[in-house]
Amino acid sequence: VAYAAKVIQGLIGLSARGESIHEQNVRYLIQLVKSGNEDKIQTLAADVLCVTAKGKPVKAKTVGQKKYVDAIRANTVTLGVGPAGTGKTYLAVAAAVAAFRAKEVNRIILTRPAVEAGERLGFLPGDLQSKVDPYLRPLYDALFEMLGAESYAKYVERGNIEVAPLAYMRGRTLDDSFIILDEAQNTSREQMKMFLTRLGFGSKIVITGDVTQIDLPDGKASGLKEAMRVLRDVEGIGICELTNADVVRHVMVQRIVEAYERYETAKNGGKGRK
């Protein structure tokens, strides 16, 4: 009864702040109450990060997401690492659009490695850009939602927005830009170092990835995993590790993530994933 009362009180608080109530809210509030963290309920839905083209407010939906958003605001470089469905890319794009609208940056640059490139891309029709576009689609989708297709096209034409594969970043210095590297678990050590050293004056970098979904050839080290070790204590760099508790997609996504974690832990003799 005490649990139920606290959950209901939390739901009332979220509703009073204009947050719609659905299954994901209820499940997450129950988790917070059971873990004795009901005091953190008040931090949820309190801060609008961005407003989409259709007027929908974008907010952190979990405590982990709130820490991630705060880290992006506070640091020059932020690493957001976690499983699918935790909002890593979506919130990073929302933060980029918010900074652009506030004139804190002049450009938004979104990039990701096209790991599956190699021979397979050669069989796809069109020029190089059309061949890598499928790998950049999640970034396009997030930008379309934030800005609307018309505004997006206008900013691309003006050069304010660039969506490009990671290989296009080499040799550049990116000033006054909000730069997002997505799917960073598929970067090599060399690619990650190259990307990080593109940072120019007045710029901010957000790196997102899921270290459980590395598509690199066997034996090749992930640049993201190495960067998490190398950069952990560097001033101005924030590292946020989201968990399955921060999954905000369908409940089945959370269950799938948890099942794989249990499997990896059992396979590695109780030591968790490598």
Side-chain angles (χ1 to χ4, degrees), residues 133-160:
D133 274 353
Y135 302 107
L136 303 171
R137 178 51 54 186
L139 302 176
Y140 288 127
D141 291 344
L143 272 177
F144 286 166
E145 182 169 351
M146 299 298 166
L147 295 171
E150 187 175 331
S151 293
Y152 168 80
K154 177 182 68 176
Y155 290 131
V156 168
E157 186 177 350
R158 293 178 179 176
N160 297 120

Side-chain angles (χ1 to χ4, degrees), residues 62-79:
T62 70
V63 173
Q65 286 190 351
K66 183 68 167 60
K67 291 179 179 178
Y68 176 47
V69 169
D70 289 344
I72 291 174
R73 288 171 169 161
N75 294 286
T76 302
V77 178
T78 302
L79 281 68

Side-chain angles (χ1 to χ4, degrees), residues 5-265:
K6 290 178 180 178
V7 171
I8 291 171
Q9 185 178 1
L11 291 172
I12 292 173
L14 290 179
S15 179
R17 291 197 292 275
E19 184 74 6
S20 60
I21 304 302
H22 44 74
E23 182 185 359
Q24 190 272 331
N25 298 107
V26 178
R27 284 190 288 104
Y28 187 66
L29 289 180
I30 291 172
Q31 289 178 15
L32 285 181
V33 171
K34 284 185 175 180
S35 62
N37 293 314
E38 61 269 19
D39 57 312
K40 296 180 180 179
I41 294 174
Q42 300 304 318
T43 67
L44 301 178
D47 189 14
V48 176
L49 177 60
C50 180
V51 177
T52 70
K54 294 183 177 180
K56 175 187 173 183
V58 178
K59 307 175 184 179
K61 295 181 180 294
T62 70
V63 173
Q65 286 190 351
K66 183 68 167 60
K67 291 179 179 178
Y68 176 47
V69 169
D70 289 344
I72 291 174
R73 288 171 169 161
N75 294 286
T76 302
V77 178
T78 302
L79 281 68
V81 183
T86 50
K88 304 180 299 293
T89 301
Y90 188 77
L91 291 173
V93 173
V97 171
F100 179 70
R101 286 174 175 167
K103 301 188 185 305
E104 295 171 7
V105 296
N106 293 328
R107 286 186 298 172
I108 297 174
I109 299 175
L110 309 181
T111 185
R112 67 190 301 185
V115 160
E116 298 85 354
E119 295 179 349
R120 292 188 224 173
L121 277 182
F123 292 101
L124 296 175
D127 58 16
L128 178 59
Q129 187 63 51
S130 64
K131 290 178 180 182
V132 299
D133 274 353
Y135 302 107
L136 303 171
R137 178 51 54 186
L139 302 176
Y140 288 127
D141 291 344
L143 272 177
F144 286 166
E145 182 169 351
M146 299 298 166
L147 295 171
E150 187 175 331
S151 293
Y152 168 80
K154 177 182 68 176
Y155 290 131
V156 168
E157 186 177 350
R158 293 178 179 176
N160 297 120
I161 291 179
E162 180 181 349
V163 184
L166 181 59
Y168 285 19
M169 299 298 110
R170 188 173 299 278
R172 302 173 62 183
T173 300
L174 306 172
D175 295 324
D176 298 314
S177 302
F178 197 116
I179 313 148
I180 299 173
L181 171 59
D182 193 35
E183 297 289 340
Q185 75 274 6
N186 289 329
T187 60
S188 65
R189 294 169 170 173
E190 296 78 13
Q191 285 175 319
M192 178 60 75
K193 184 177 179 182
M194 177 276 291
F195 173 76
L196 286 167
T197 54
R198 300 309 94 201
L199 181 67
F201 292 106
S203 291
K204 187 182 287 281
I205 282 178
V206 177
I207 297 169
T208 70
D210 178 359
V211 294
T212 70
Q213 296 193 41
I214 296 173
D215 299 317
L216 292 168
D218 290 342
K220 192 162 188 178
S222 167
L224 176 60
K225 293 180 75 172
E226 182 178 78
M228 291 174 67
R229 295 190 294 268
V230 172
L231 304 176
R232 189 165 293 278
D233 297 320
V234 177
E235 183 180 355
I237 295 179
I239 299 177
C240 292
E241 297 187 55
L242 299 163
T243 70
N244 57 47
D246 299 302
V247 172
V248 294
R249 289 183 189 166
H250 194 286
V251 62
M252 289 306 301
V253 175
Q254 189 173 33
R255 291 173 184 169
I256 289 167
V257 170
E258 289 171 347
Y260 269 94
E261 286 190 352
R262 289 193 299 269
Y263 172 77
E264 291 294 333
T265 298

